[in-house]
Amino acid sequence: PGQSPAGPSLLLAEQARRASLDELASLRSVVALAGEGYTATEARVTQLVGASPHGALARLVGSADPAALERLLVSAPALARALLVQQSAPDALADELTRTLLLPIGAAAQAQARLFAAMQPRERRRFALLHPALVAALAAAPASDRFAASRVLIAAALGQSLQARAQLGPGPALQRVERRIALQQRLLDEQVVLRHPDGTTTRHPHQVLNFDPTGDGRILEVIGDLSRARHLAVYVPGTGSDLDRYADSFDGMTPFAAADPGLAVVLWQNADHPDQPFDDPLAAPAPSALLDPAGLVSGVQQYAREHVLAAAYRDSADAAGPVLAADVAGLRVAMPAAVDLTVLGHSYGGSIVGSAEAHGMVADRVVHVASAGAYVGDVREYASASTQRFSMTAYDDPIRLVQGHGAFDAAARLRTMLPTPLDPLAPTAASLATLAVGGAGQIGHGLDPDLIPGVVRLDTGVHDDGRLVRGHSSMFEPGSTAWRNLLAVMTKGEVSVLQPQLWSSHLETLGAAVTLPGGAVMGGTTMRLLPPRYVIDRSPYDDPAYRAPVLDLG
């Protein structure tokens, strides 16, 4: 190298490389020391809280100015967590507000609103900071106080996550905690930027109404400016909606709030949504479990029902519907009377919205977006007959395989999905599947959303480049007939109405695709199964000049 013109440059580069590695090693040492310091601080805070009298911490910070108290709790996650761990002394107002949760949803919202209206703003904010879990759970509490309470809950969760990270080694558990930490820090520190059609932008912090990190996690967040809102939309996403996937749902809703400054969107994940298949791996049974075959079978059935096939069951919708109904009732009371309200449910979220309607939810408009079902078999089970209802499903959406179906017609439905030679196997396969999983009465999501009496079927249409809107989620991509229809329903604009007689599709049965020459399987070929799927044969957009009929909701 000394005889090459590049020799001196290579030598300098190598020296720089070694210097960089030395710097990285030093930084690792600093990070390790900081981590040890944090762990020691957490341990000290925990020790002091545990040794202090009951309610002493709450009494100490409760005398602070509300604004200063909020800054203190949010900037000191260990302190926020300690405040939640050490419950405050008995509080008559807290007890009275807690009792409202036992009332019917309408009465509960009105009672909460009266109790909060009797408080002075500073007193109310201090109460929210000292009782954050309670205030965040009260749907009719003033939104600004719920925002402050939720920031304390997020800070407390961050403190717990940081402590957990310090105790974990490399692996999936640490990766999950790292994702939670990143989300919690974004919720506390990030500014939400909305770019409006006129070129202006608005910024605001994350406006979280409720937050619970336990299990898959729950969150309820407002996107937009509630003080300017003329329209409020509540969006309920579908299967697999948890804190780990929250960013995707949030990113999908921000363009709607940005499109109209008079629209605020509430992203609702305030219940336990069903898991995606195999989100939680099946744990190996203990040796003792092998001696109890019945218990082992029951455990496998439970795992399949809760984690593999959870979306097929109404279980989550049964539990989530009443929570959504209460949240919507509270929002209607907390918002000005002039604000109209739309509730949208995508995929499994449609079943949750239907459950909420069956449990007393009243909204101006309800939209089933590629919905699993209306939850009920008869819309007379819904609380409101005056709600205007809409549905939207792409013609090749796989959700069509299950809309309006359940265990009662499983054999007939399976027969349509299998190749003709396999038709005789359909009844046996359906019976075995139902028997193996159990809970047949809970399978299915009621009426096909397109068949709700009086429903307005919205056109999915095309993207701006002329491609048909296809599949299960592409209607949330801005710049399409479907996206503009959803925005128009939220803002009482003009919607494009579907003309079903101009569309046709067919169901292709289960098949296999063979590629030649392929890989090393089957003598140089590869083969993969093709699930049953709908194929669009004809649409009115085959004619570039086609325009769907328009309905003005204003």
mmCIF file of all heavy atoms in Angstrom, residues 500-539:
data_model
loop_
_atom_site.group_PDB
_atom_site.id
_atom_site.type_symbol
_atom_site.label_atom_id
_atom_site.label_comp_id
_atom_site.label_asym_id
_atom_site.label_seq_id
_atom_site.Cartn_x
_atom_site.Cartn_y
_atom_site.Cartn_z
ATOM 1 N N PRO A 500 -75.579 -0.619 -8.223
ATOM 2 C CA PRO A 500 -75.151 -2.025 -8.232
ATOM 3 C C PRO A 500 -75.476 -2.759 -9.519
ATOM 4 O O PRO A 500 -74.792 -3.724 -9.873
ATOM 5 C CB PRO A 500 -75.896 -2.627 -7.030
ATOM 6 C CG PRO A 500 -76.995 -1.677 -6.727
ATOM 7 C CD PRO A 500 -76.532 -0.340 -7.139
ATOM 8 N N GLN A 501 -76.508 -2.313 -10.236
ATOM 9 C CA GLN A 501 -76.870 -2.998 -11.478
ATOM 10 C C GLN A 501 -75.803 -2.831 -12.558
ATOM 11 O O GLN A 501 -75.803 -3.570 -13.560
ATOM 12 C CB GLN A 501 -78.229 -2.483 -11.994
ATOM 13 C CG GLN A 501 -78.228 -1.070 -12.550
ATOM 14 C CD GLN A 501 -78.382 0.001 -11.487
ATOM 15 O OE1 GLN A 501 -78.231 -0.281 -10.295
ATOM 16 N NE2 GLN A 501 -78.675 1.211 -11.911
ATOM 17 N N LEU A 502 -74.884 -1.891 -12.365
ATOM 18 C CA LEU A 502 -73.832 -1.657 -13.359
ATOM 19 C C LEU A 502 -72.536 -2.391 -13.010
ATOM 20 O O LEU A 502 -71.554 -2.269 -13.735
ATOM 21 C CB LEU A 502 -73.550 -0.162 -13.497
ATOM 22 C CG LEU A 502 -74.752 0.722 -13.900
ATOM 23 C CD1 LEU A 502 -74.316 2.180 -14.029
ATOM 24 C CD2 LEU A 502 -75.359 0.213 -15.205
ATOM 25 N N TRP A 503 -72.549 -3.119 -11.916
ATOM 26 C CA TRP A 503 -71.368 -3.875 -11.491
ATOM 27 C C TRP A 503 -71.674 -5.376 -11.551
ATOM 28 O O TRP A 503 -72.809 -5.793 -11.352
ATOM 29 C CB TRP A 503 -70.981 -3.536 -10.051
ATOM 30 C CG TRP A 503 -70.495 -2.143 -9.830
ATOM 31 C CD1 TRP A 503 -71.243 -1.001 -9.784
ATOM 32 C CD2 TRP A 503 -69.149 -1.740 -9.598
ATOM 33 N NE1 TRP A 503 -70.457 0.091 -9.534
ATOM 34 C CE2 TRP A 503 -69.158 -0.322 -9.415
ATOM 35 C CE3 TRP A 503 -67.932 -2.411 -9.525
ATOM 36 C CZ2 TRP A 503 -68.003 0.410 -9.164
ATOM 37 C CZ3 TRP A 503 -66.779 -1.678 -9.269
ATOM 38 C CH2 TRP A 503 -66.819 -0.286 -9.099
ATOM 39 N N SER A 504 -70.654 -6.167 -11.814
ATOM 40 C CA SER A 504 -70.802 -7.624 -11.691
ATOM 41 C C SER A 504 -69.467 -8.211 -11.270
ATOM 42 O O SER A 504 -68.400 -7.660 -11.563
ATOM 43 C CB SER A 504 -71.268 -8.250 -13.009
ATOM 44 O OG SER A 504 -70.288 -8.102 -14.020
ATOM 45 N N SER A 505 -69.541 -9.324 -10.554
ATOM 46 C CA SER A 505 -68.341 -10.017 -10.087
ATOM 47 C C SER A 505 -68.673 -11.492 -9.941
ATOM 48 O O SER A 505 -69.847 -11.880 -9.957
ATOM 49 C CB SER A 505 -67.869 -9.448 -8.752
ATOM 50 O OG SER A 505 -68.843 -9.672 -7.749
ATOM 51 N N HIS A 506 -67.647 -12.316 -9.796
ATOM 52 C CA HIS A 506 -67.880 -13.739 -9.531
ATOM 53 C C HIS A 506 -66.879 -14.216 -8.486
ATOM 54 O O HIS A 506 -65.812 -13.612 -8.304
ATOM 55 C CB HIS A 506 -67.754 -14.577 -10.812
ATOM 56 C CG HIS A 506 -66.353 -14.692 -11.338
ATOM 57 N ND1 HIS A 506 -65.772 -13.726 -12.146
ATOM 58 C CD2 HIS A 506 -65.395 -15.662 -11.157
ATOM 59 C CE1 HIS A 506 -64.534 -14.088 -12.458
ATOM 60 N NE2 HIS A 506 -64.289 -15.262 -11.865
ATOM 61 N N LEU A 507 -67.242 -15.285 -7.819
ATOM 62 C CA LEU A 507 -66.397 -15.864 -6.787
ATOM 63 C C LEU A 507 -65.585 -17.006 -7.373
ATOM 64 O O LEU A 507 -66.150 -17.985 -7.880
ATOM 65 C CB LEU A 507 -67.253 -16.363 -5.622
ATOM 66 C CG LEU A 507 -66.519 -17.106 -4.492
ATOM 67 C CD1 LEU A 507 -65.491 -16.196 -3.826
ATOM 68 C CD2 LEU A 507 -67.515 -17.637 -3.461
ATOM 69 N N GLU A 508 -64.273 -16.878 -7.341
ATOM 70 C CA GLU A 508 -63.389 -17.974 -7.753
ATOM 71 C C GLU A 508 -63.120 -18.855 -6.549
ATOM 72 O O GLU A 508 -62.780 -18.368 -5.458
ATOM 73 C CB GLU A 508 -62.089 -17.425 -8.326
ATOM 74 C CG GLU A 508 -62.261 -16.757 -9.681
ATOM 75 C CD GLU A 508 -60.930 -16.523 -10.382
ATOM 76 O OE1 GLU A 508 -59.873 -16.785 -9.763
ATOM 77 O OE2 GLU A 508 -60.948 -16.076 -11.545
ATOM 78 N N THR A 509 -63.266 -20.158 -6.736
ATOM 79 C CA THR A 509 -63.118 -21.094 -5.625
ATOM 80 C C THR A 509 -61.655 -21.302 -5.267
ATOM 81 O O THR A 509 -60.742 -20.837 -5.959
ATOM 82 C CB THR A 509 -63.751 -22.446 -5.981
ATOM 83 O OG1 THR A 509 -63.117 -22.964 -7.169
ATOM 84 C CG2 THR A 509 -65.243 -22.291 -6.252
ATOM 85 N N LEU A 510 -61.434 -22.025 -4.171
ATOM 86 C CA LEU A 510 -60.093 -22.376 -3.737
ATOM 87 C C LEU A 510 -59.335 -23.044 -4.878
ATOM 88 O O LEU A 510 -59.867 -23.918 -5.560
ATOM 89 C CB LEU A 510 -60.177 -23.351 -2.552
ATOM 90 C CG LEU A 510 -58.866 -23.878 -1.989
ATOM 91 C CD1 LEU A 510 -58.134 -22.789 -1.211
ATOM 92 C CD2 LEU A 510 -59.141 -25.085 -1.076
ATOM 93 N N GLY A 511 -58.108 -22.592 -5.112
ATOM 94 C CA GLY A 511 -57.341 -23.159 -6.217
ATOM 95 C C GLY A 511 -55.867 -23.226 -5.876
ATOM 96 O O GLY A 511 -55.448 -23.025 -4.730
ATOM 97 N N ALA A 512 -55.082 -23.527 -6.892
ATOM 98 C CA ALA A 512 -53.630 -23.621 -6.721
ATOM 99 C C ALA A 512 -52.961 -22.986 -7.921
ATOM 100 O O ALA A 512 -53.468 -23.048 -9.046
ATOM 101 C CB ALA A 512 -53.194 -25.074 -6.583
ATOM 102 N N ALA A 513 -51.834 -22.353 -7.671
ATOM 103 C CA ALA A 513 -51.041 -21.750 -8.740
ATOM 104 C C ALA A 513 -49.729 -22.511 -8.843
ATOM 105 O O ALA A 513 -49.058 -22.746 -7.845
ATOM 106 C CB ALA A 513 -50.777 -20.279 -8.459
ATOM 107 N N VAL A 514 -49.375 -22.935 -10.047
ATOM 108 C CA VAL A 514 -48.130 -23.673 -10.283
ATOM 109 C C VAL A 514 -47.227 -22.828 -11.165
ATOM 110 O O VAL A 514 -47.670 -22.302 -12.195
ATOM 111 C CB VAL A 514 -48.412 -25.032 -10.951
ATOM 112 C CG1 VAL A 514 -47.104 -25.767 -11.228
ATOM 113 C CG2 VAL A 514 -49.330 -25.879 -10.082
ATOM 114 N N THR A 515 -45.986 -22.677 -10.752
ATOM 115 C CA THR A 515 -45.014 -21.899 -11.512
ATOM 116 C C THR A 515 -43.943 -22.831 -12.060
ATOM 117 O O THR A 515 -43.400 -23.659 -11.330
ATOM 118 C CB THR A 515 -44.350 -20.833 -10.620
ATOM 119 O OG1 THR A 515 -45.368 -20.034 -10.013
ATOM 120 C CG2 THR A 515 -43.430 -19.937 -11.429
ATOM 121 N N LEU A 516 -43.661 -22.735 -13.341
ATOM 122 C CA LEU A 516 -42.611 -23.535 -13.979
ATOM 123 C C LEU A 516 -41.522 -22.604 -14.522
ATOM 124 O O LEU A 516 -41.839 -21.548 -15.085
ATOM 125 C CB LEU A 516 -43.207 -24.361 -15.126
ATOM 126 C CG LEU A 516 -44.254 -25.403 -14.729
ATOM 127 C CD1 LEU A 516 -44.874 -26.016 -15.980
ATOM 128 C CD2 LEU A 516 -43.631 -26.490 -13.868
ATOM 129 N N PRO A 517 -40.239 -22.973 -14.412
ATOM 130 C CA PRO A 517 -39.705 -24.175 -13.783
ATOM 131 C C PRO A 517 -39.691 -24.127 -12.263
ATOM 132 O O PRO A 517 -39.610 -25.167 -11.611
ATOM 133 C CB PRO A 517 -38.280 -24.238 -14.336
ATOM 134 C CG PRO A 517 -37.922 -22.816 -14.581
ATOM 135 C CD PRO A 517 -39.184 -22.150 -15.033
ATOM 136 N N GLY A 518 -39.715 -22.912 -11.655
ATOM 137 C CA GLY A 518 -39.870 -22.836 -10.208
ATOM 138 C C GLY A 518 -38.650 -23.268 -9.428
ATOM 139 O O GLY A 518 -37.534 -23.284 -9.908
ATOM 140 N N GLY A 519 -38.921 -23.683 -8.173
ATOM 141 C CA GLY A 519 -37.847 -24.001 -7.243
ATOM 142 C C GLY A 519 -37.584 -25.477 -7.156
ATOM 143 O O GLY A 519 -37.746 -26.229 -8.122
ATOM 144 N N ALA A 520 -37.232 -25.900 -5.944
ATOM 145 C CA ALA A 520 -36.776 -27.274 -5.767
ATOM 146 C C ALA A 520 -37.900 -28.220 -5.369
ATOM 147 O O ALA A 520 -37.651 -29.385 -5.088
ATOM 148 C CB ALA A 520 -35.694 -27.303 -4.684
ATOM 149 N N VAL A 521 -39.139 -27.720 -5.321
ATOM 150 C CA VAL A 521 -40.251 -28.569 -4.890
ATOM 151 C C VAL A 521 -40.896 -29.234 -6.099
ATOM 152 O O VAL A 521 -41.036 -28.638 -7.162
ATOM 153 C CB VAL A 521 -41.304 -27.714 -4.134
ATOM 154 C CG1 VAL A 521 -42.441 -28.590 -3.614
ATOM 155 C CG2 VAL A 521 -40.641 -26.973 -2.993
ATOM 156 N N MET A 522 -41.296 -30.494 -5.952
ATOM 157 C CA MET A 522 -42.045 -31.228 -6.976
ATOM 158 C C MET A 522 -41.333 -31.190 -8.330
ATOM 159 O O MET A 522 -41.880 -30.756 -9.349
ATOM 160 C CB MET A 522 -43.478 -30.670 -7.107
ATOM 161 C CG MET A 522 -44.299 -30.825 -5.836
ATOM 162 S SD MET A 522 -45.960 -30.143 -5.991
ATOM 163 C CE MET A 522 -46.608 -31.220 -7.280
ATOM 164 N N GLY A 523 -40.069 -31.578 -8.309
ATOM 165 C CA GLY A 523 -39.332 -31.707 -9.556
ATOM 166 C C GLY A 523 -39.080 -30.405 -10.267
ATOM 167 O O GLY A 523 -39.120 -30.331 -11.489
ATOM 168 N N GLY A 524 -38.853 -29.351 -9.503
ATOM 169 C CA GLY A 524 -38.504 -28.088 -10.124
ATOM 170 C C GLY A 524 -39.664 -27.130 -10.274
ATOM 171 O O GLY A 524 -39.517 -26.077 -10.858
ATOM 172 N N THR A 525 -40.834 -27.448 -9.740
ATOM 173 C CA THR A 525 -41.979 -26.542 -9.802
ATOM 174 C C THR A 525 -42.272 -25.998 -8.406
ATOM 175 O O THR A 525 -41.844 -26.564 -7.400
ATOM 176 C CB THR A 525 -43.230 -27.255 -10.330
ATOM 177 O OG1 THR A 525 -43.635 -28.239 -9.379
ATOM 178 C CG2 THR A 525 -42.963 -27.896 -11.670
ATOM 179 N N THR A 526 -42.994 -24.905 -8.338
ATOM 180 C CA THR A 526 -43.492 -24.393 -7.059
ATOM 181 C C THR A 526 -45.008 -24.320 -7.151
ATOM 182 O O THR A 526 -45.563 -24.071 -8.215
ATOM 183 C CB THR A 526 -42.944 -22.985 -6.752
ATOM 184 O OG1 THR A 526 -43.308 -22.105 -7.808
ATOM 185 C CG2 THR A 526 -41.439 -23.010 -6.613
ATOM 186 N N MET A 527 -45.658 -24.541 -6.030
ATOM 187 C CA MET A 527 -47.109 -24.526 -6.010
ATOM 188 C C MET A 527 -47.567 -23.789 -4.754
ATOM 189 O O MET A 527 -46.990 -23.950 -3.691
ATOM 190 C CB MET A 527 -47.682 -25.937 -6.009
ATOM 191 C CG MET A 527 -49.212 -25.978 -6.087
ATOM 192 S SD MET A 527 -49.868 -27.663 -6.257
ATOM 193 C CE MET A 527 -49.524 -28.283 -4.619
ATOM 194 N N ARG A 528 -48.584 -22.957 -4.908
ATOM 195 C CA ARG A 528 -49.149 -22.263 -3.752
ATOM 196 C C ARG A 528 -50.668 -22.245 -3.882
ATOM 197 O O ARG A 528 -51.214 -22.231 -4.980
ATOM 198 C CB ARG A 528 -48.607 -20.837 -3.650
ATOM 199 C CG ARG A 528 -48.884 -19.977 -4.871
ATOM 200 C CD ARG A 528 -48.142 -18.638 -4.784
ATOM 201 N NE ARG A 528 -48.319 -17.852 -5.991
ATOM 202 C CZ ARG A 528 -49.318 -17.002 -6.191
ATOM 203 N NH1 ARG A 528 -50.216 -16.819 -5.234
ATOM 204 N NH2 ARG A 528 -49.417 -16.326 -7.317
ATOM 205 N N LEU A 529 -51.327 -22.267 -2.728
ATOM 206 C CA LEU A 529 -52.777 -22.230 -2.702
ATOM 207 C C LEU A 529 -53.279 -20.814 -2.956
ATOM 208 O O LEU A 529 -52.688 -19.836 -2.482
ATOM 209 C CB LEU A 529 -53.300 -22.730 -1.356
ATOM 210 C CG LEU A 529 -53.187 -24.227 -1.085
ATOM 211 C CD1 LEU A 529 -53.681 -24.546 0.317
ATOM 212 C CD2 LEU A 529 -53.978 -25.025 -2.117
ATOM 213 N N LEU A 530 -54.350 -20.714 -3.685
ATOM 214 C CA LEU A 530 -55.026 -19.441 -3.903
ATOM 215 C C LEU A 530 -56.340 -19.469 -3.144
ATOM 216 O O LEU A 530 -57.193 -20.311 -3.397
ATOM 217 C CB LEU A 530 -55.296 -19.218 -5.396
ATOM 218 C CG LEU A 530 -54.069 -19.114 -6.301
ATOM 219 C CD1 LEU A 530 -54.502 -18.990 -7.762
ATOM 220 C CD2 LEU A 530 -53.209 -17.932 -5.904
ATOM 221 N N PRO A 531 -56.516 -18.583 -2.176
ATOM 222 C CA PRO A 531 -57.763 -18.610 -1.399
ATOM 223 C C PRO A 531 -58.948 -18.230 -2.266
ATOM 224 O O PRO A 531 -58.787 -17.619 -3.330
ATOM 225 C CB PRO A 531 -57.501 -17.562 -0.317
ATOM 226 C CG PRO A 531 -56.507 -16.633 -0.933
ATOM 227 C CD PRO A 531 -55.629 -17.480 -1.805
ATOM 228 N N PRO A 532 -60.155 -18.563 -1.833
ATOM 229 C CA PRO A 532 -61.344 -18.100 -2.563
ATOM 230 C C PRO A 532 -61.331 -16.569 -2.637
ATOM 231 O O PRO A 532 -60.946 -15.901 -1.675
ATOM 232 C CB PRO A 532 -62.509 -18.599 -1.696
ATOM 233 C CG PRO A 532 -61.937 -19.710 -0.872
ATOM 234 C CD PRO A 532 -60.509 -19.357 -0.644
ATOM 235 N N ARG A 533 -61.750 -16.034 -3.763
ATOM 236 C CA ARG A 533 -61.682 -14.581 -3.923
ATOM 237 C C ARG A 533 -62.701 -14.115 -4.949
ATOM 238 O O ARG A 533 -63.059 -14.854 -5.876
ATOM 239 C CB ARG A 533 -60.276 -14.154 -4.345
ATOM 240 C CG ARG A 533 -59.849 -14.714 -5.693
ATOM 241 C CD ARG A 533 -58.335 -14.718 -5.838
ATOM 242 N NE ARG A 533 -57.904 -15.195 -7.142
ATOM 243 C CZ ARG A 533 -57.845 -16.487 -7.486
ATOM 244 N NH1 ARG A 533 -58.177 -17.415 -6.612
ATOM 245 N NH2 ARG A 533 -57.440 -16.844 -8.680
ATOM 246 N N TYR A 534 -63.129 -12.874 -4.772
ATOM 247 C CA TYR A 534 -64.041 -12.260 -5.724
ATOM 248 C C TYR A 534 -63.245 -11.559 -6.822
ATOM 249 O O TYR A 534 -62.195 -10.959 -6.567
ATOM 250 C CB TYR A 534 -64.947 -11.242 -5.029
ATOM 251 C CG TYR A 534 -66.102 -11.883 -4.308
ATOM 252 C CD1 TYR A 534 -66.032 -12.146 -2.944
ATOM 253 C CD2 TYR A 534 -67.259 -12.242 -4.990
ATOM 254 C CE1 TYR A 534 -67.094 -12.735 -2.278
ATOM 255 C CE2 TYR A 534 -68.320 -12.842 -4.335
ATOM 256 C CZ TYR A 534 -68.236 -13.086 -2.984
ATOM 257 O OH TYR A 534 -69.283 -13.687 -2.330
ATOM 258 N N VAL A 535 -63.752 -11.651 -8.031
ATOM 259 C CA VAL A 535 -63.130 -11.020 -9.192
ATOM 260 C C VAL A 535 -64.163 -10.110 -9.841
ATOM 261 O O VAL A 535 -65.310 -10.520 -10.082
ATOM 262 C CB VAL A 535 -62.621 -12.070 -10.201
ATOM 263 C CG1 VAL A 535 -62.063 -11.390 -11.453
ATOM 264 C CG2 VAL A 535 -61.569 -12.967 -9.555
ATOM 265 N N ILE A 536 -63.777 -8.865 -10.105
ATOM 266 C CA ILE A 536 -64.682 -7.916 -10.747
ATOM 267 C C ILE A 536 -64.706 -8.187 -12.253
ATOM 268 O O ILE A 536 -63.667 -8.181 -12.909
ATOM 269 C CB ILE A 536 -64.226 -6.465 -10.475
ATOM 270 C CG1 ILE A 536 -64.262 -6.177 -8.974
ATOM 271 C CG2 ILE A 536 -65.110 -5.472 -11.232
ATOM 272 C CD1 ILE A 536 -63.684 -4.829 -8.595
ATOM 273 N N ASP A 537 -65.887 -8.443 -12.774
ATOM 274 C CA ASP A 537 -66.046 -8.697 -14.209
ATOM 275 C C ASP A 537 -66.395 -7.426 -14.984
ATOM 276 O O ASP A 537 -65.972 -7.243 -16.123
ATOM 277 C CB ASP A 537 -67.163 -9.730 -14.439
ATOM 278 C CG ASP A 537 -66.850 -11.059 -13.775
ATOM 279 O OD1 ASP A 537 -65.701 -11.529 -13.907
ATOM 280 O OD2 ASP A 537 -67.750 -11.609 -13.109
ATOM 281 N N ARG A 538 -67.170 -6.558 -14.343
ATOM 282 C CA ARG A 538 -67.643 -5.378 -15.062
ATOM 283 C C ARG A 538 -67.912 -4.263 -14.061
ATOM 284 O O ARG A 538 -68.376 -4.502 -12.940
ATOM 285 C CB ARG A 538 -68.944 -5.712 -15.807
ATOM 286 C CG ARG A 538 -69.608 -4.538 -16.540
ATOM 287 C CD ARG A 538 -70.812 -5.046 -17.341
ATOM 288 N NE ARG A 538 -71.809 -5.673 -16.483
ATOM 289 C CZ ARG A 538 -72.868 -5.044 -15.977
ATOM 290 N NH1 ARG A 538 -73.049 -3.754 -16.240
ATOM 291 N NH2 ARG A 538 -73.743 -5.684 -15.226
ATOM 292 N N SER A 539 -67.563 -3.041 -14.471
ATOM 293 C CA SER A 539 -67.893 -1.881 -13.653
ATOM 294 C C SER A 539 -68.281 -0.741 -14.580
ATOM 295 O O SER A 539 -67.879 -0.716 -15.758
ATOM 296 C CB SER A 539 -66.700 -1.469 -12.791
ATOM 297 O OG SER A 539 -65.859 -0.560 -13.470
#
